[in-house]
Amino acid sequence: GNSVTQMEGPVTLSEEAFLTINCTYTATGYPSLFWYVQYPGEGLQLLLKATKADDKGSNKGFEATYRKETTSFHLEKGSVQVSDSAVYFCALIRSGDSSYKLIFGSGTRLLVRP
Amino acid sequence: NAGVTQTPKFQVLKTGQSMTLQCAQDMNHNSMYWYRQDPGMGLRLIYYSASEGTTDKGEVPNGYNVSRLNKREFSLRLESAAPSQTSVYFCASSVEELNTEAFFGQGTRLTVV
């Protein structure tokens, strides 16, 4: 079936450290891939997306590259800030799914210390 | 801009009680969704509605019913609440495209005792 696997958290980093959150997926065809972020007490909001192989999504200093050969979409940021502390969700929409529903990973909590 | 509005934000129910979670969006989206969020399990789809007048089951529909009242509103009903339904519930909406962004409400934290 279609699924998303993320690294377990929490991930604890010092400010200005390099961030990687791993995400791999299983899906038929060519899904669209997304990273959503959830700040404390809020709903999810889109961070970035990529719609085809080798596409790179980027936003707010975060990047992720759609790797078809490794079925991965790892999230990276060169220098994290305290304000990046949140839960990050990797997700996909399966191609050919007329409901366009998101399939989420389990989420990775990031804590950035000053 | 209001986006997606959910009510209530918090609710405590006794086992066996019923309640309805309300959701409304003002973005003229056809597709609406209800998810539940549990620790370590991400978000799981309960029900969705691809358009006004249609609803379909998601991954975890048991114990829930939904109504797509009109294009704006999509409600989730618990007929007889159980402790296993303690969770945070999110409503979302989107346009019906593969690469689209989904917009989420702020969530309803439900505790069933």
Side-chain angles (χ1 to χ4, degrees), chain A residues 32 36 38 49 51 89 99, chain B residues 33 37 45 48 90 99 102:
Chain A
S32 291
Y36 279 81
Q38 183 182 30
K49 66 181 179 182
T51 59
F89 292 92
S99 73
Chain B
Y33 310 85
Q37 182 182 21
L45 184 65
Y48 65 96
F90 287 99
N99 307 320

Side-chain angles (χ1 to χ4, degrees), chain A:
Chain A
N2 303 288
S3 64
V4 177
T5 302
Q6 286 181 241
M7 60 188 289
E8 290 206 19
V11 173
T12 304
L13 296 173
S14 298
E15 206 165 23
E16 299 184 3
F18 184 85
L19 169 71
T20 300
I21 300 178
N22 290 337
C23 171
T24 58
Y25 68 89
T26 302
T28 54
Y30 295 89
S32 291
L33 301 176
F34 304 82
W35 278 100
Y36 279 81
V37 59
Q38 183 182 30
Y39 297 103
E42 298 185 10
L44 280 72
Q45 55 186 274
L46 179 67
L47 180 60
L48 53 84
K49 66 181 179 182
T51 59
K52 61 183 188 295
D54 299 325
D55 264 4
K56 178 184 283 188
S58 61
N59 186 24
K60 300 182 181 179
F62 291 89
E63 293 182 340
T65 301
Y66 189 142
R67 300 288 189 198
K68 182 76 175 164
E69 64 276 13
T70 55
T71 62
S72 65
F73 193 53
H74 305 320
L75 182 68
E76 296 181 336
K77 187 175 185 183
S79 176
V80 294
Q81 306 300 313
V82 172
S83 57
D84 293 327
S85 297
V87 181
Y88 292 81
F89 292 92
C90 187
L92 67 82
I93 297 178
R94 182 176 60 83
S95 61
D97 182 353
S98 60
S99 73
Y100 305 103
K101 56 184 180 286
L102 286 157
I103 297 171
F104 287 93
S106 57
T108 302
R109 182 176 299 279
L110 171 65
L111 177 61
V112 180
R113 299 189 186 282

